[in-house]
Amino acid sequence: MNVLLTGSSGWLGRYLAPLLKAAGHIVTGLDITQGQYTTHIGSVVNRKLINELVEDRKIDAIIHSGALHKPDIIRFPAQSFIDVNVTGTLNLLETARKFEVQKFIFTSTTSLMIDRDIREGNFDYAVWLDETHGPLAPRNIYGVTKLAGEHLCRQYAEAFDLNVTSLRTSRFFPEEDDTMTDPPAENLKANEFLNRRHTVRDSARAHEHVLDHMKSGYAMYIVSAPTPFKVTDCADLKTNARSVIKKIYPHAAGLYAAKGWRLPQSIARVYDGTLICRELGFEYETDFANILDVIRKDKAMPFENDPNYINPSTIGAN
Ligand SMILES: NC(=O)c1ccc[n+]([C@@H]2O[C@H](COP(=O)([O-])OP(=O)(O)OC[C@H]3O[C@@H](n4cnc5c(N)ncnc54)[C@H](O)[C@@H]3O)[C@@H](O)[C@H]2O)c1
């Protein structure tokens, strides 16, 4: 297929573009900053440019990953989030409609499910978050504009018979957490594979898989490494996560201790990223069991940890 990938210079884009090419697709990469896989420099806010690109390159599918996201909140005003994440998404949907683009994938975020109470951990149990969770009250401009983007995708699919899938991806960024410094970054990222992270490679694989297997009309899936927990674990996860982990992985504490790492004492939220497996046959490569296996074999972690990663929007903003 001829695929237009927005955000092709970004962290996800640089994994997804080569994966798409390896699968035989012709990739047109659009980004505001230069990148190895970016064939066109420009903004999703520019509808004329998008129309020209889609027409000239005979685009059959759009993967819309370009966005301002959470780390951009401190650098860009709310209006920029509206322009890029809402108007940009609307522009691409309008173009998809106009040129009868067959498939549209919107990279969304699990962050839009996090309201203030979940963020502050104001429940005496871990909150189980799957595709049915609601009502939604995103806590920041990033989540608000991504939710608006999802709604536009759904409404355009319904009103204009487009095939659109939103992928609510959990964390896959390589940089350090902007709010948590304890435990250290690599330990924290490893822990998050229990409930709220996946590899950037699995994120790219999920997008590529959906391109081939998407449903007609509108669909939405969470993408996050399969959690080992069950809904019935939620009360214990909040009060004593280590006892729950011990029952599932009796050797985890010992493996962690040998590395000087710590398992989480309390878990306040769990993303269930398995509907995409059941409905579309997607298989994740990496989960927490793999992390333990890698520790056991003293190999490199299957995820990137790069405190020096600078997100391309920052470079573009300078
Ligand atoms: N990184 C994560 O952990 C994470 C988690 C959940 C969701 N997401 C989503 O995944 C997608 C990719 O994120 P990422 O981590 O690769 O971020 P990134 O910042 O590395 O990449 C985003 C890309 O979008 C580009 N972009 C920004 N404004 C644009 C515009 N107006 N027109 C065209 N391109 C523009 C940026 O230059 C950048 O290259 C985003 O939609 C983000 O919301 C990321």
Side-chain angles (χ1 to χ4, degrees), residues 29-54:
L30 175 69
D31 203 296
I32 49 167
T33 61
Q34 306 253 2
Q36 187 183 350
Y37 301 103
T38 295
T39 56
H40 294 75
I41 301 283
S43 172
V44 292
V45 179
N46 183 346
R47 190 182 294 181
K48 184 168 171 286
L49 168 74
I50 293 167
N51 277 335
E52 284 167 6
L53 266 184
V54 168

mmCIF file with all atom_site columns, all heavy atoms in Angstrom, residues 29-54:
data_model
loop_
_atom_site.group_PDB
_atom_site.id
_atom_site.type_symbol
_atom_site.label_atom_id
_atom_site.label_alt_id
_atom_site.label_comp_id
_atom_site.label_asym_id
_atom_site.label_entity_id
_atom_site.label_seq_id
_atom_site.pdbx_PDB_ins_code
_atom_site.Cartn_x
_atom_site.Cartn_y
_atom_site.Cartn_z
_atom_site.occupancy
_atom_site.B_iso_or_equiv
_atom_site.pdbx_formal_charge
_atom_site.auth_seq_id
_atom_site.auth_comp_id
_atom_site.auth_asym_id
_atom_site.auth_atom_id
_atom_site.pdbx_PDB_model_num
ATOM 1   N N   . GLY A 1 29 ? 6.744   9.902  4.338  1.00 0.00 ? 29 GLY A N   1
ATOM 2   C CA  . GLY A 1 29 ? 6.888   10.364 5.719  1.00 0.00 ? 29 GLY A CA  1
ATOM 3   C C   . GLY A 1 29 ? 6.751   11.871 5.806  1.00 0.00 ? 29 GLY A C   1
ATOM 4   O O   . GLY A 1 29 ? 7.459   12.607 5.125  1.00 0.00 ? 29 GLY A O   1
ATOM 5   N N   . LEU A 1 30 ? 5.810   12.330 6.632  1.00 0.00 ? 30 LEU A N   1
ATOM 6   C CA  . LEU A 1 30 ? 5.588   13.773 6.811  1.00 0.00 ? 30 LEU A CA  1
ATOM 7   C C   . LEU A 1 30 ? 5.904   14.172 8.246  1.00 0.00 ? 30 LEU A C   1
ATOM 8   O O   . LEU A 1 30 ? 5.393   13.562 9.196  1.00 0.00 ? 30 LEU A O   1
ATOM 9   C CB  . LEU A 1 30 ? 4.130   14.124 6.494  1.00 0.00 ? 30 LEU A CB  1
ATOM 10  C CG  . LEU A 1 30 ? 3.723   15.585 6.751  1.00 0.00 ? 30 LEU A CG  1
ATOM 11  C CD1 . LEU A 1 30 ? 4.386   16.535 5.757  1.00 0.00 ? 30 LEU A CD1 1
ATOM 12  C CD2 . LEU A 1 30 ? 2.208   15.749 6.700  1.00 0.00 ? 30 LEU A CD2 1
ATOM 13  N N   . ASP A 1 31 ? 6.741   15.188 8.388  1.00 0.00 ? 31 ASP A N   1
ATOM 14  C CA  . ASP A 1 31 ? 7.080   15.678 9.736  1.00 0.00 ? 31 ASP A CA  1
ATOM 15  C C   . ASP A 1 31 ? 7.527   17.116 9.615  1.00 0.00 ? 31 ASP A C   1
ATOM 16  O O   . ASP A 1 31 ? 7.951   17.552 8.545  1.00 0.00 ? 31 ASP A O   1
ATOM 17  C CB  . ASP A 1 31 ? 8.194   14.805 10.366 1.00 0.00 ? 31 ASP A CB  1
ATOM 18  C CG  . ASP A 1 31 ? 8.204   14.879 11.883 1.00 0.00 ? 31 ASP A CG  1
ATOM 19  O OD1 . ASP A 1 31 ? 8.450   15.975 12.424 1.00 0.00 ? 31 ASP A OD1 1
ATOM 20  O OD2 . ASP A 1 31 ? 7.966   13.844 12.532 1.00 0.00 ? 31 ASP A OD2 1
ATOM 21  N N   . ILE A 1 32 ? 7.466   17.830 10.739 1.00 0.00 ? 32 ILE A N   1
ATOM 22  C CA  . ILE A 1 32 ? 7.952   19.218 10.714 1.00 0.00 ? 32 ILE A CA  1
ATOM 23  C C   . ILE A 1 32 ? 9.471   19.281 10.852 1.00 0.00 ? 32 ILE A C   1
ATOM 24  O O   . ILE A 1 32 ? 10.063  20.336 10.647 1.00 0.00 ? 32 ILE A O   1
ATOM 25  C CB  . ILE A 1 32 ? 7.296   20.087 11.821 1.00 0.00 ? 32 ILE A CB  1
ATOM 26  C CG1 . ILE A 1 32 ? 7.369   19.356 13.174 1.00 0.00 ? 32 ILE A CG1 1
ATOM 27  C CG2 . ILE A 1 32 ? 5.875   20.464 11.468 1.00 0.00 ? 32 ILE A CG2 1
ATOM 28  C CD1 . ILE A 1 32 ? 7.053   20.239 14.359 1.00 0.00 ? 32 ILE A CD1 1
ATOM 29  N N   . THR A 1 33 ? 10.079  18.171 11.279 1.00 0.00 ? 33 THR A N   1
ATOM 30  C CA  . THR A 1 33 ? 11.542  18.160 11.402 1.00 0.00 ? 33 THR A CA  1
ATOM 31  C C   . THR A 1 33 ? 12.118  17.041 10.530 1.00 0.00 ? 33 THR A C   1
ATOM 32  O O   . THR A 1 33 ? 11.434  16.073 10.200 1.00 0.00 ? 33 THR A O   1
ATOM 33  C CB  . THR A 1 33 ? 11.995  17.931 12.862 1.00 0.00 ? 33 THR A CB  1
ATOM 34  O OG1 . THR A 1 33 ? 11.515  16.657 13.285 1.00 0.00 ? 33 THR A OG1 1
ATOM 35  C CG2 . THR A 1 33 ? 11.480  19.002 13.784 1.00 0.00 ? 33 THR A CG2 1
ATOM 36  N N   . GLN A 1 34 ? 13.412  17.200 10.201 1.00 0.00 ? 34 GLN A N   1
ATOM 37  C CA  . GLN A 1 34 ? 14.086  16.210 9.358  1.00 0.00 ? 34 GLN A CA  1
ATOM 38  C C   . GLN A 1 34 ? 14.187  14.870 10.076 1.00 0.00 ? 34 GLN A C   1
ATOM 39  O O   . GLN A 1 34 ? 14.265  14.822 11.293 1.00 0.00 ? 34 GLN A O   1
ATOM 40  C CB  . GLN A 1 34 ? 15.528  16.669 9.105  1.00 0.00 ? 34 GLN A CB  1
ATOM 41  C CG  . GLN A 1 34 ? 15.652  18.057 8.553  1.00 0.00 ? 34 GLN A CG  1
ATOM 42  C CD  . GLN A 1 34 ? 16.056  18.038 7.095  1.00 0.00 ? 34 GLN A CD  1
ATOM 43  O OE1 . GLN A 1 34 ? 16.210  16.979 6.516  1.00 0.00 ? 34 GLN A OE1 1
ATOM 44  N NE2 . GLN A 1 34 ? 16.218  19.195 6.508  1.00 0.00 ? 34 GLN A NE2 1
ATOM 45  N N   . GLY A 1 35 ? 14.262  13.828 9.299  1.00 0.00 ? 35 GLY A N   1
ATOM 46  C CA  . GLY A 1 35 ? 14.463  12.497 9.868  1.00 0.00 ? 35 GLY A CA  1
ATOM 47  C C   . GLY A 1 35 ? 14.778  11.534 8.746  1.00 0.00 ? 35 GLY A C   1
ATOM 48  O O   . GLY A 1 35 ? 14.457  11.803 7.574  1.00 0.00 ? 35 GLY A O   1
ATOM 49  N N   . GLN A 1 36 ? 15.382  10.420 9.101  1.00 0.00 ? 36 GLN A N   1
ATOM 50  C CA  . GLN A 1 36 ? 15.811  9.439  8.096  1.00 0.00 ? 36 GLN A CA  1
ATOM 51  C C   . GLN A 1 36 ? 14.652  8.982  7.199  1.00 0.00 ? 36 GLN A C   1
ATOM 52  O O   . GLN A 1 36 ? 14.834  8.705  6.022  1.00 0.00 ? 36 GLN A O   1
ATOM 53  C CB  . GLN A 1 36 ? 16.426  8.231  8.825  1.00 0.00 ? 36 GLN A CB  1
ATOM 54  C CG  . GLN A 1 36 ? 17.068  7.224  7.910  1.00 0.00 ? 36 GLN A CG  1
ATOM 55  C CD  . GLN A 1 36 ? 17.591  6.006  8.678  1.00 0.00 ? 36 GLN A CD  1
ATOM 56  O OE1 . GLN A 1 36 ? 17.636  6.002  9.908  1.00 0.00 ? 36 GLN A OE1 1
ATOM 57  N NE2 . GLN A 1 36 ? 17.972  4.975  7.948  1.00 0.00 ? 36 GLN A NE2 1
ATOM 58  N N   . TYR A 1 37 ? 13.457  8.896  7.773  1.00 0.00 ? 37 TYR A N   1
ATOM 59  C CA  . TYR A 1 37 ? 12.321  8.348  7.018  1.00 0.00 ? 37 TYR A CA  1
ATOM 60  C C   . TYR A 1 37 ? 11.335  9.425  6.589  1.00 0.00 ? 37 TYR A C   1
ATOM 61  O O   . TYR A 1 37 ? 10.234  9.129  6.135  1.00 0.00 ? 37 TYR A O   1
ATOM 62  C CB  . TYR A 1 37 ? 11.613  7.279  7.866  1.00 0.00 ? 37 TYR A CB  1
ATOM 63  C CG  . TYR A 1 37 ? 12.560  6.162  8.230  1.00 0.00 ? 37 TYR A CG  1
ATOM 64  C CD1 . TYR A 1 37 ? 13.115  6.079  9.511  1.00 0.00 ? 37 TYR A CD1 1
ATOM 65  C CD2 . TYR A 1 37 ? 12.926  5.213  7.282  1.00 0.00 ? 37 TYR A CD2 1
ATOM 66  C CE1 . TYR A 1 37 ? 14.011  5.067  9.828  1.00 0.00 ? 37 TYR A CE1 1
ATOM 67  C CE2 . TYR A 1 37 ? 13.822  4.202  7.596  1.00 0.00 ? 37 TYR A CE2 1
ATOM 68  C CZ  . TYR A 1 37 ? 14.359  4.144  8.866  1.00 0.00 ? 37 TYR A CZ  1
ATOM 69  O OH  . TYR A 1 37 ? 15.245  3.141  9.171  1.00 0.00 ? 37 TYR A OH  1
ATOM 70  N N   . THR A 1 38 ? 11.727  10.693 6.781  1.00 0.00 ? 38 THR A N   1
ATOM 71  C CA  . THR A 1 38 ? 10.838  11.801 6.423  1.00 0.00 ? 38 THR A CA  1
ATOM 72  C C   . THR A 1 38 ? 11.128  12.249 4.994  1.00 0.00 ? 38 THR A C   1
ATOM 73  O O   . THR A 1 38 ? 12.211  12.741 4.705  1.00 0.00 ? 38 THR A O   1
ATOM 74  C CB  . THR A 1 38 ? 10.989  12.948 7.449  1.00 0.00 ? 38 THR A CB  1
ATOM 75  O OG1 . THR A 1 38 ? 10.524  12.440 8.713  1.00 0.00 ? 38 THR A OG1 1
ATOM 76  C CG2 . THR A 1 38 ? 10.199  14.172 7.060  1.00 0.00 ? 38 THR A CG2 1
ATOM 77  N N   . THR A 1 39 ? 10.138  12.044 4.133  1.00 0.00 ? 39 THR A N   1
ATOM 78  C CA  . THR A 1 39 ? 10.318  12.416 2.727  1.00 0.00 ? 39 THR A CA  1
ATOM 79  C C   . THR A 1 39 ? 9.809   13.831 2.472  1.00 0.00 ? 39 THR A C   1
ATOM 80  O O   . THR A 1 39 ? 10.198  14.459 1.492  1.00 0.00 ? 39 THR A O   1
ATOM 81  C CB  . THR A 1 39 ? 9.554   11.433 1.811  1.00 0.00 ? 39 THR A CB  1
ATOM 82  O OG1 . THR A 1 39 ? 8.169   11.416 2.213  1.00 0.00 ? 39 THR A OG1 1
ATOM 83  C CG2 . THR A 1 39 ? 10.118  10.021 1.906  1.00 0.00 ? 39 THR A CG2 1
ATOM 84  N N   . HIS A 1 40 ? 8.914   14.325 3.339  1.00 0.00 ? 40 HIS A N   1
ATOM 85  C CA  . HIS A 1 40 ? 8.341   15.655 3.152  1.00 0.00 ? 40 HIS A CA  1
ATOM 86  C C   . HIS A 1 40 ? 8.324   16.401 4.480  1.00 0.00 ? 40 HIS A C   1
ATOM 87  O O   . HIS A 1 40 ? 7.786   15.902 5.466  1.00 0.00 ? 40 HIS A O   1
ATOM 88  C CB  . HIS A 1 40 ? 6.913   15.554 2.599  1.00 0.00 ? 40 HIS A CB  1
ATOM 89  C CG  . HIS A 1 40 ? 6.861   14.987 1.219  1.00 0.00 ? 40 HIS A CG  1
ATOM 90  N ND1 . HIS A 1 40 ? 7.046   13.639 0.960  1.00 0.00 ? 40 HIS A ND1 1
ATOM 91  C CD2 . HIS A 1 40 ? 6.682   15.575 0.017  1.00 0.00 ? 40 HIS A CD2 1
ATOM 92  C CE1 . HIS A 1 40 ? 6.967   13.430 -0.346 1.00 0.00 ? 40 HIS A CE1 1
ATOM 93  N NE2 . HIS A 1 40 ? 6.756   14.590 -0.944 1.00 0.00 ? 40 HIS A NE2 1
ATOM 94  N N   . ILE A 1 41 ? 8.897   17.602 4.470  1.00 0.00 ? 41 ILE A N   1
ATOM 95  C CA  . ILE A 1 41 ? 8.865   18.454 5.664  1.00 0.00 ? 41 ILE A CA  1
ATOM 96  C C   . ILE A 1 41 ? 7.627   19.345 5.556  1.00 0.00 ? 41 ILE A C   1
ATOM 97  O O   . ILE A 1 41 ? 7.440   20.036 4.548  1.00 0.00 ? 41 ILE A O   1
ATOM 98  C CB  . ILE A 1 41 ? 10.129  19.346 5.750  1.00 0.00 ? 41 ILE A CB  1
ATOM 99  C CG1 . ILE A 1 41 ? 11.403  18.501 5.786  1.00 0.00 ? 41 ILE A CG1 1
ATOM 100 C CG2 . ILE A 1 41 ? 10.049  20.305 6.936  1.00 0.00 ? 41 ILE A CG2 1
ATOM 101 C CD1 . ILE A 1 41 ? 11.712  17.849 7.103  1.00 0.00 ? 41 ILE A CD1 1
ATOM 102 N N   . GLY A 1 42 ? 6.795   19.297 6.561  1.00 0.00 ? 42 GLY A N   1
ATOM 103 C CA  . GLY A 1 42 ? 5.594   20.132 6.556  1.00 0.00 ? 42 GLY A CA  1
ATOM 104 C C   . GLY A 1 42 ? 4.696   19.741 7.710  1.00 0.00 ? 42 GLY A C   1
ATOM 105 O O   . GLY A 1 42 ? 4.962   18.762 8.417  1.00 0.00 ? 42 GLY A O   1
ATOM 106 N N   . SER A 1 43 ? 3.629   20.502 7.885  1.00 0.00 ? 43 SER A N   1
ATOM 107 C CA  . SER A 1 43 ? 2.766   20.319 9.053  1.00 0.00 ? 43 SER A CA  1
ATOM 108 C C   . SER A 1 43 ? 1.407   19.735 8.674  1.00 0.00 ? 43 SER A C   1
ATOM 109 O O   . SER A 1 43 ? 0.853   20.071 7.621  1.00 0.00 ? 43 SER A O   1
ATOM 110 C CB  . SER A 1 43 ? 2.558   21.671 9.739  1.00 0.00 ? 43 SER A CB  1
ATOM 111 O OG  . SER A 1 43 ? 1.590   21.551 10.752 1.00 0.00 ? 43 SER A OG  1
ATOM 112 N N   . VAL A 1 44 ? 0.873   18.933 9.584  1.00 0.00 ? 44 VAL A N   1
ATOM 113 C CA  . VAL A 1 44 ? -0.485  18.399 9.392  1.00 0.00 ? 44 VAL A CA  1
ATOM 114 C C   . VAL A 1 44 ? -1.533  19.518 9.453  1.00 0.00 ? 44 VAL A C   1
ATOM 115 O O   . VAL A 1 44 ? -2.675  19.317 9.056  1.00 0.00 ? 44 VAL A O   1
ATOM 116 C CB  . VAL A 1 44 ? -0.829  17.305 10.439 1.00 0.00 ? 44 VAL A CB  1
ATOM 117 C CG1 . VAL A 1 44 ? 0.002   16.059 10.215 1.00 0.00 ? 44 VAL A CG1 1
ATOM 118 C CG2 . VAL A 1 44 ? -0.676  17.818 11.869 1.00 0.00 ? 44 VAL A CG2 1
ATOM 119 N N   . VAL A 1 45 ? -1.114  20.676 9.933  1.00 0.00 ? 45 VAL A N   1
ATOM 120 C CA  . VAL A 1 45 ? -2.038  21.815 10.003 1.00 0.00 ? 45 VAL A CA  1
ATOM 121 C C   . VAL A 1 45 ? -2.287  22.389 8.599  1.00 0.00 ? 45 VAL A C   1
ATOM 122 O O   . VAL A 1 45 ? -3.295  23.052 8.360  1.00 0.00 ? 45 VAL A O   1
ATOM 123 C CB  . VAL A 1 45 ? -1.460  22.897 10.966 1.00 0.00 ? 45 VAL A CB  1
ATOM 124 C CG1 . VAL A 1 45 ? -2.378  24.111 11.049 1.00 0.00 ? 45 VAL A CG1 1
ATOM 125 C CG2 . VAL A 1 45 ? -1.255  22.302 12.357 1.00 0.00 ? 45 VAL A CG2 1
ATOM 126 N N   . ASN A 1 46 ? -1.392  22.099 7.673  1.00 0.00 ? 46 ASN A N   1
ATOM 127 C CA  . ASN A 1 46 ? -1.471  22.634 6.310  1.00 0.00 ? 46 ASN A CA  1
ATOM 128 C C   . ASN A 1 46 ? -2.298  21.692 5.417  1.00 0.00 ? 46 ASN A C   1
ATOM 129 O O   . ASN A 1 46 ? -1.784  20.751 4.828  1.00 0.00 ? 46 ASN A O   1
ATOM 130 C CB  . ASN A 1 46 ? -0.035  22.787 5.777  1.00 0.00 ? 46 ASN A CB  1
ATOM 131 C CG  . ASN A 1 46 ? 0.014   23.409 4.401  1.00 0.00 ? 46 ASN A CG  1
ATOM 132 O OD1 . ASN A 1 46 ? -0.992  23.504 3.700  1.00 0.00 ? 46 ASN A OD1 1
ATOM 133 N ND2 . ASN A 1 46 ? 1.205   23.831 4.007  1.00 0.00 ? 46 ASN A ND2 1
ATOM 134 N N   . ARG A 1 47 ? -3.585  21.983 5.306  1.00 0.00 ? 47 ARG A N   1
ATOM 135 C CA  . ARG A 1 47 ? -4.475  21.056 4.581  1.00 0.00 ? 47 ARG A CA  1
ATOM 136 C C   . ARG A 1 47 ? -4.147  20.975 3.098  1.00 0.00 ? 47 ARG A C   1
ATOM 137 O O   . ARG A 1 47 ? -4.264  19.915 2.482  1.00 0.00 ? 47 ARG A O   1
ATOM 138 C CB  . ARG A 1 47 ? -5.946  21.437 4.779  1.00 0.00 ? 47 ARG A CB  1
ATOM 139 C CG  . ARG A 1 47 ? -6.854  20.332 4.233  1.00 0.00 ? 47 ARG A CG  1
ATOM 140 C CD  . ARG A 1 47 ? -8.310  20.636 4.345  1.00 0.00 ? 47 ARG A CD  1
ATOM 141 N NE  . ARG A 1 47 ? -8.773  20.702 5.716  1.00 0.00 ? 47 ARG A NE  1
ATOM 142 C CZ  . ARG A 1 47 ? -10.042 20.940 6.031  1.00 0.00 ? 47 ARG A CZ  1
ATOM 143 N NH1 . ARG A 1 47 ? -10.934 21.121 5.087  1.00 0.00 ? 47 ARG A NH1 1
ATOM 144 N NH2 . ARG A 1 47 ? -10.412 20.991 7.291  1.00 0.00 ? 47 ARG A NH2 1
ATOM 145 N N   . LYS A 1 48 ? -3.734  22.112 2.529  1.00 0.00 ? 48 LYS A N   1
ATOM 146 C CA  . LYS A 1 48 ? -3.388  22.122 1.098  1.00 0.00 ? 48 LYS A CA  1
ATOM 147 C C   . LYS A 1 48 ? -2.243  21.141 0.842  1.00 0.00 ? 48 LYS A C   1
ATOM 148 O O   . LYS A 1 48 ? -2.301  20.330 -0.092 1.00 0.00 ? 48 LYS A O   1
ATOM 149 C CB  . LYS A 1 48 ? -2.987  23.551 0.693  1.00 0.00 ? 48 LYS A CB  1
ATOM 150 C CG  . LYS A 1 48 ? -2.704  23.735 -0.768 1.00 0.00 ? 48 LYS A CG  1
ATOM 151 C CD  . LYS A 1 48 ? -2.601  25.236 -1.095 1.00 0.00 ? 48 LYS A CD  1
ATOM 152 C CE  . LYS A 1 48 ? -2.100  25.463 -2.506 1.00 0.00 ? 48 LYS A CE  1
ATOM 153 N NZ  . LYS A 1 48 ? -0.681  25.197 -2.680 1.00 0.00 ? 48 LYS A NZ  1
ATOM 154 N N   . LEU A 1 49 ? -1.245  21.187 1.688  1.00 0.00 ? 49 LEU A N   1
ATOM 155 C CA  . LEU A 1 49 ? -0.096  20.284 1.544  1.00 0.00 ? 49 LEU A CA  1
ATOM 156 C C   . LEU A 1 49 ? -0.540  18.826 1.657  1.00 0.00 ? 49 LEU A C   1
ATOM 157 O O   . LEU A 1 49 ? -0.135  17.968 0.852  1.00 0.00 ? 49 LEU A O   1
ATOM 158 C CB  . LEU A 1 49 ? 0.951   20.598 2.633  1.00 0.00 ? 49 LEU A CB  1
ATOM 159 C CG  . LEU A 1 49 ? 2.068   19.563 2.803  1.00 0.00 ? 49 LEU A CG  1
ATOM 160 C CD1 . LEU A 1 49 ? 3.057   19.648 1.656  1.00 0.00 ? 49 LEU A CD1 1
ATOM 161 C CD2 . LEU A 1 49 ? 2.797   19.769 4.137  1.00 0.00 ? 49 LEU A CD2 1
ATOM 162 N N   . ILE A 1 50 ? -1.396  18.542 2.612  1.00 0.00 ? 50 ILE A N   1
ATOM 163 C CA  . ILE A 1 50 ? -1.848  17.155 2.813  1.00 0.00 ? 50 ILE A CA  1
ATOM 164 C C   . ILE A 1 50 ? -2.653  16.675 1.608  1.00 0.00 ? 50 ILE A C   1
ATOM 165 O O   . ILE A 1 50 ? -2.472  15.547 1.125  1.00 0.00 ? 50 ILE A O   1
ATOM 166 C CB  . ILE A 1 50 ? -2.675  17.044 4.118  1.00 0.00 ? 50 ILE A CB  1
ATOM 167 C CG1 . ILE A 1 50 ? -1.755  17.289 5.318  1.00 0.00 ? 50 ILE A CG1 1
ATOM 168 C CG2 . ILE A 1 50 ? -3.306  15.668 4.253  1.00 0.00 ? 50 ILE A CG2 1
ATOM 169 C CD1 . ILE A 1 50 ? -2.485  17.514 6.593  1.00 0.00 ? 50 ILE A CD1 1
ATOM 170 N N   . ASN A 1 51 ? -3.536  17.538 1.116  1.00 0.00 ? 51 ASN A N   1
ATOM 171 C CA  . ASN A 1 51 ? -4.312  17.176 -0.084 1.00 0.00 ? 51 ASN A CA  1
ATOM 172 C C   . ASN A 1 51 ? -3.382  16.837 -1.243 1.00 0.00 ? 51 ASN A C   1
ATOM 173 O O   . ASN A 1 51 ? -3.571  15.828 -1.931 1.00 0.00 ? 51 ASN A O   1
ATOM 174 C CB  . ASN A 1 51 ? -5.231  18.326 -0.487 1.00 0.00 ? 51 ASN A CB  1
ATOM 175 C CG  . ASN A 1 51 ? -6.530  18.321 0.307  1.00 0.00 ? 51 ASN A CG  1
ATOM 176 O OD1 . ASN A 1 51 ? -6.962  17.286 0.794  1.00 0.00 ? 51 ASN A OD1 1
ATOM 177 N ND2 . ASN A 1 51 ? -7.148  19.473 0.445  1.00 0.00 ? 51 ASN A ND2 1
ATOM 178 N N   . GLU A 1 52 ? -2.376  17.697 -1.440 1.00 0.00 ? 52 GLU A N   1
ATOM 179 C CA  . GLU A 1 52 ? -1.440  17.469 -2.556 1.00 0.00 ? 52 GLU A CA  1
ATOM 180 C C   . GLU A 1 52 ? -0.677  16.164 -2.377 1.00 0.00 ? 52 GLU A C   1
ATOM 181 O O   . GLU A 1 52 ? -0.537  15.368 -3.310 1.00 0.00 ? 52 GLU A O   1
ATOM 182 C CB  . GLU A 1 52 ? -0.443  18.635 -2.648 1.00 0.00 ? 52 GLU A CB  1
ATOM 183 C CG  . GLU A 1 52 ? -1.052  19.881 -3.267 1.00 0.00 ? 52 GLU A CG  1
ATOM 184 C CD  . GLU A 1 52 ? -0.183  21.119 -3.068 1.00 0.00 ? 52 GLU A CD  1
ATOM 185 O OE1 . GLU A 1 52 ? 0.946   20.992 -2.543 1.00 0.00 ? 52 GLU A OE1 1
ATOM 186 O OE2 . GLU A 1 52 ? -0.656  22.214 -3.428 1.00 0.00 ? 52 GLU A OE2 1
ATOM 187 N N   . LEU A 1 53 ? -0.206  15.942 -1.161 1.00 0.00 ? 53 LEU A N   1
ATOM 188 C CA  . LEU A 1 53 ? 0.567   14.719 -0.884 1.00 0.00 ? 53 LEU A CA  1
ATOM 189 C C   . LEU A 1 53 ? -0.268  13.465 -1.159 1.00 0.00 ? 53 LEU A C   1
ATOM 190 O O   . LEU A 1 53 ? 0.177   12.527 -1.824 1.00 0.00 ? 53 LEU A O   1
ATOM 191 C CB  . LEU A 1 53 ? 0.983   14.684 0.590  1.00 0.00 ? 53 LEU A CB  1
ATOM 192 C CG  . LEU A 1 53 ? 2.338   15.220 0.992  1.00 0.00 ? 53 LEU A CG  1
ATOM 193 C CD1 . LEU A 1 53 ? 2.565   14.994 2.485  1.00 0.00 ? 53 LEU A CD1 1
ATOM 194 C CD2 . LEU A 1 53 ? 3.423   14.509 0.197  1.00 0.00 ? 53 LEU A CD2 1
ATOM 195 N N   . VAL A 1 54 ? -1.485  13.462 -0.638 1.00 0.00 ? 54 VAL A N   1
ATOM 196 C CA  . VAL A 1 54 ? -2.335  12.270 -0.755 1.00 0.00 ? 54 VAL A CA  1
ATOM 197 C C   . VAL A 1 54 ? -2.707  12.016 -2.215 1.00 0.00 ? 54 VAL A C   1
ATOM 198 O O   . VAL A 1 54 ? -2.707  10.871 -2.684 1.00 0.00 ? 54 VAL A O   1
ATOM 199 C CB  . VAL A 1 54 ? -3.587  12.413 0.154  1.00 0.00 ? 54 VAL A CB  1
ATOM 200 C CG1 . VAL A 1 54 ? -4.629  11.345 -0.167 1.00 0.00 ? 54 VAL A CG1 1
ATOM 201 C CG2 . VAL A 1 54 ? -3.173  12.319 1.617  1.00 0.00 ? 54 VAL A CG2 1
#
